[in-house]
Amino acid sequence: MLMLLNWFLPIYLFFSGVFVFVSNRKHLLSTLLSLEFIVLSLFLFLFIYLNMLNYEIYFSMMFLVFSVCEGALGLSILVSMIRSHGNDYFNSFSILQC
């Protein structure tokens, strides 16, 4: 029973993050936060999986490095968008503009 609960929590967190990502498309910051939540739930799933199989945790450290790089890239896009448009609404800018 405890084994099932270990698998259920990351899956529940992942799908709740996907639901927030799909349903909230007004601000870029809330979209980035939901993406980070999805990445953290995937990290929890990976950590539980690697601990159950008694593998090394080195791969999870690499996963964290790439997720930090993804977060820094998202924040830089957010700062660039706020400096150029003044807000983080998706409706205030067009993708076709340079």
Side-chain angles (χ1 to χ4, degrees):
M1 183 68 182
L2 185 62
M3 185 77 69
L4 182 63
L5 289 176
N6 283 341
W7 290 104
F8 180 71
L9 180 66
I11 292 171
Y12 176 73
L13 292 175
F14 175 77
F15 282 117
S16 63
V18 168
F19 177 73
V20 170
F21 179 72
V22 170
S23 66
N24 195 359
R25 289 180 258 166
K26 190 173 182 181
H27 295 282
L28 181 64
L29 182 61
S30 62
T31 305
L32 289 174
L33 283 174
S34 65
L35 282 175
E36 286 297 320
F37 187 74
I38 291 170
V39 166
L40 285 176
S41 67
L42 287 175
F43 172 71
L44 180 64
F45 183 75
L46 179 71
F47 189 76
I48 290 171
Y49 180 72
L50 290 177
N51 276 337
M52 284 179 50
L53 296 177
N54 293 326
Y55 285 149
E56 292 184 8
I57 311 299
Y58 180 75
F59 184 73
S60 64
M61 184 62 73
M62 293 301 293
F63 183 80
L64 278 179
V65 167
F66 284 113
S67 65
V68 166
C69 292
E70 177 256 337
L73 182 65
L75 284 177
S76 66
I77 290 172
L78 177 69
V79 168
S80 173
M81 183 177 166
I82 288 175
R83 285 186 180 177
S84 64
H85 296 287
N87 56 18
D88 67 337
Y89 293 127
F90 279 126
N91 297 331
S92 67
F93 72 100
S94 174
I95 304 258
L96 298 175
Q97 292 177 349
C98 292

